[in-house]
């Protein structure tokens, strides 16, 4: 049997999706669609920039450090490690399917992927460079100078082009063809009865009020601790830190549940280490429901069916630094 490529499978999924549109409309979750429009040249450049640690002051931290594409697009730490081993203030959300988010960051302070991409580079607790320093590094490397000119059709490198390229690469990091998507598209054997029962519980318990759509989340902001207050040591204030409104305290972007078995630990503070623990806490705090051990197991089993095809590609070979490249400063 001929083995479909991921792109080929995506095209098949689109055809089936069109044929089954009315059926899918009855479900609060929809299959992930393939990327509709990308600039391939920008994607290839953005891929290099995503993996290039020279955009950081230390020369050690890249986008992939906290959003590791071998680990579900995150780092599996409660909060990330930044420059000089600083402890980050918040859990790193997955980059996978992030193009489906209504906004970026837990508090929504970036409107889109392009705006988000520039933040960590200049954040003193993360990559700790500056946009000026990062551009200086790229300008000192002839291969980058040439590639930017070829990709954007003009001379010069600036932070706008850097973030545009990174964002274009990140748009490709979707994970279609999960077993649950296969089930949605008509393959009744793609998930087990136990997993399907978990999905029914997920719906009837009210989880789908926030976790819906293609990304199974990411499309709204909700208060953490609706029925019971959420007790945490984290100082993150959610949207209130952006809007200044007290009504937005502890409102965070609802995380996507796609690939959730890979993106532990959970919540903005990374306090829930296991999926079982996360399901229990969400049931009590958000829904006022105490799931039994069996119910919890069913919901967790359903959530694991949301793991899709992970991004696969050849690792980019980064162009070498030159004598003019500013040296990294990993210490002090």
């Amino acid at each position: 049997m001929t083995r479909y490529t991921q792109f080929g499978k995506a095209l098949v999924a689109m055809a089936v999706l069109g044929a089954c549109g009315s059926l899918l409309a009855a479900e609060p979750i929809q299959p992930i669609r393939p990327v509709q429009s990308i600039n391939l040249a920008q994607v290839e450049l953005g891929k290099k920039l995503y993996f290039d640690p020279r955009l950081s002051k230390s020369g050690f931290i890249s986008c992939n450090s906290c959003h590791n594409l071998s680990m579900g697009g995150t780092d599996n730490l409660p909060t990330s490690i930044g420059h000089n081993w600083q402890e980050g203030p918040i859990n790193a959300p997955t980059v996978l399917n992030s193009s489906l988010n209504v906004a970026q960051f837990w508090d929504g302070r970036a409107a889109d992927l392009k705006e988000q991409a520039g933040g960590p580079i200049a954040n003193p607790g993360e990559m700790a460079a500056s946009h000026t320093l990062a551009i200086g590094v790229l300008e000192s490397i002839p291969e980058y100078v040439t590639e930017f000119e070829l990709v954007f059709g003009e001379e010069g490198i600036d932070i706008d082009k850097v973030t545009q390229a990174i964002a274009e690469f990140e748009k490709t990091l979707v994970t279609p063809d999960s077993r649950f998507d296969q089930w949605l598209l008509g393959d009744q054997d793609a998930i087990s009865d136990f997993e399907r029962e978990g999905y029914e519980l997920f719906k009837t318990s009210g989880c789908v009020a926030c976790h819906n759509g293609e990304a199974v989340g990411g499309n709204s902001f909700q208060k953490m601790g609706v029925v019971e207050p959420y007790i945490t040591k984290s100082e993150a204030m959610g949207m209130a830190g952006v809007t200044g409104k007290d009504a937005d305290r502890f409102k965070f972007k609802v995380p996507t549940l796609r690939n959730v078995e890979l993106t532990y630990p959970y919540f903005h503070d990374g306090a829930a280490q296991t999926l079982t623990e996360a399901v229990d806490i969400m049931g009590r705090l958000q829904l006022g429901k105490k799931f039994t051990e069996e119910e919890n197991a069913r919901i967790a089993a359903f959530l694991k069916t949301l793991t899709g095809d992970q991004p696969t590609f050849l690792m980019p070979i980064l162009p070498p630094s030159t004598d003019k490249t500013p040296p990294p400063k990993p210490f002090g």
Side-chain angles (χ1 to χ4, degrees):
M1 179 182 292
T2 302
R3 185 178 182 181
Y4 287 115
T5 63
Q6 180 170 319
F7 181 69
K9 288 191 291 185
L11 291 178
V12 172
M14 284 189 71
V16 176
L17 190 61
C20 302
S22 59
L23 176 64
L24 293 174
E27 296 294 345
I29 297 172
Q30 290 80 47
I32 288 183
R33 298 173 183 266
V35 178
Q36 300 298 301
S37 177
I38 55 172
N39 183 309
L40 289 176
Q42 289 183 16
V43 168
E44 289 304 309
L45 173 58
K47 184 192 302 180
K48 293 176 183 174
L49 298 172
Y50 185 91
F51 283 94
D52 201 328
R54 291 171 295 185
L55 295 180
S56 68
K57 182 178 180 180
S58 66
F60 185 72
I61 300 173
S62 69
C63 301
N64 194 63
S65 297
C66 297
H67 303 284
N68 194 317
L69 297 182
S70 297
M71 301 166 65
T74 183
D75 55 17
N76 296 145
L77 298 173
T79 60
S80 297
I81 298 171
H83 185 69
N84 278 343
W85 294 95
Q86 294 179 76
E87 180 180 355
I90 205 161
N91 181 259
T94 179
V95 71
L96 300 181
N97 306 303
S98 56
S99 59
L100 301 176
N101 289 336
V102 65
Q104 304 301 321
F105 295 113
W106 283 96
D107 56 13
R109 65 183 182 274
D112 52 31
L113 289 174
K114 181 178 178 181
E115 184 177 351
Q116 185 278 332
I121 294 174
N123 188 318
E126 296 184 53
M127 297 171 77
S130 66
H131 291 167
T132 300
L133 176 60
I135 297 305
V137 168
L138 297 173
E139 288 176 334
S140 73
I141 301 172
E143 287 94 326
Y144 268 136
V145 173
T146 299
E147 187 167 0
F148 268 91
E149 184 174 349
L150 289 172
V151 169
F152 289 99
E154 61 182 23
E155 294 182 354
I157 302 175
D158 56 39
I159 195 63
D160 185 72
K161 294 173 183 175
V162 169
T163 54
Q164 171 62 32
I166 293 174
E168 199 70 4
F169 169 63
E170 291 178 339
K171 281 170 58 178
T172 70
L173 303 178
V174 294
T175 60
D177 204 41
S178 69
R179 289 194 295 117
F180 187 72
D181 282 357
Q182 294 171 25
W183 181 79
L184 285 172
L185 292 168
D187 183 355
Q188 296 302 304
D189 296 325
I191 64 175
S192 69
D193 289 342
F194 191 77
E195 292 163 340
R196 182 181 51 77
E197 289 164 4
Y199 176 50
E200 292 302 321
L201 265 173
F202 188 83
K203 289 195 294 184
T204 58
S205 298
C207 306
V208 293
C210 299
H211 293 286
N212 52 59
E214 284 185 74
V216 199
N219 52 11
S220 68
F221 292 83
Q222 302 293 335
K223 181 179 179 180
M224 182 66 166
V226 175
V227 179
E228 298 179 27
Y230 182 64
I231 307 301
T232 178
K233 296 179 181 179
S234 172
E235 297 181 359
M237 301 303 294
M239 287 182 67
V242 178
T243 66
K245 298 179 179 178
D246 191 63
D248 290 333
R249 286 169 62 87
F250 305 120
K251 277 189 178 180
F252 296 93
K253 185 180 65 185
V254 175
T256 173
L257 295 184
R258 292 286 183 175
N259 311 291
V260 69
E261 70 173 319
L262 307 177
T263 59
Y264 52 87
Y266 305 106
F267 310 150
H268 66 279
D269 57 357
Q273 184 63 37
T274 68
L275 200 50
T276 298
E277 184 181 1
V279 170
D280 175 71
I281 293 172
M282 284 288 95
R284 290 188 291 103
L285 270 60
Q286 302 302 105
L287 303 172
K289 182 176 178 62
K290 173 59 179 172
F291 292 118
T292 67
E293 186 175 330
E294 184 74 8
E295 288 173 330
N296 190 307
R298 281 187 168 87
I299 293 174
F302 153 65
L303 293 175
K304 291 179 181 179
T305 71
L306 296 171
T307 301
D309 288 344
Q310 301 300 292
T312 56
F313 45 78
L314 291 175
M315 289 289 291
I317 303 302
L318 305 181
S321 298
T322 68
D323 293 348
K324 296 181 180 180
T325 302
K329 297 180 180 179
F331 307 110

